[in-house]
Amino acid sequence: MPEVPDVRFLTVAEVAELMRVSKMTVYRLVHAGELPAIRFGRSFRVPETAVAEALQRPIADVG
């Protein structure tokens, strides 16, 4: 039997809390492809490593 990697998935609400943004912002990031996610039924789950990587990215200077 193949070994399953030890990946922790977070709900959209958990991601929003960690990133200190709204759940709608998380959904926008997922739909834009900026935050990878897996769909389970009607809900999304985001790998914890993807959230950590997103928080490490430099912030773009808008303007």
Side-chain angles (χ1 to χ4, degrees):
M1 180 174 205
E3 195 166 316
V4 177
D6 187 24
V7 178
R8 182 166 182 247
F9 289 95
L10 304 172
T11 65
V12 169
E14 290 170 330
V15 173
E17 185 176 332
L18 282 172
M19 295 180 80
R20 294 183 178 219
V21 297
S22 70
K23 290 191 294 185
M24 185 55 68
T25 299
V26 176
Y27 283 116
R28 285 187 192 119
L29 291 170
V30 168
H31 288 294
E34 296 180 37
L35 192 61
I38 296 173
R39 190 166 185 161
F40 288 105
R42 296 184 66 201
S43 63
F44 288 95
R45 296 292 186 270
V46 180
E48 189 174 40
T49 54
V51 176
E53 289 171 8
L55 291 173
Q56 294 300 321
R57 279 188 231 134
I59 299 172
D61 188 2
V62 178

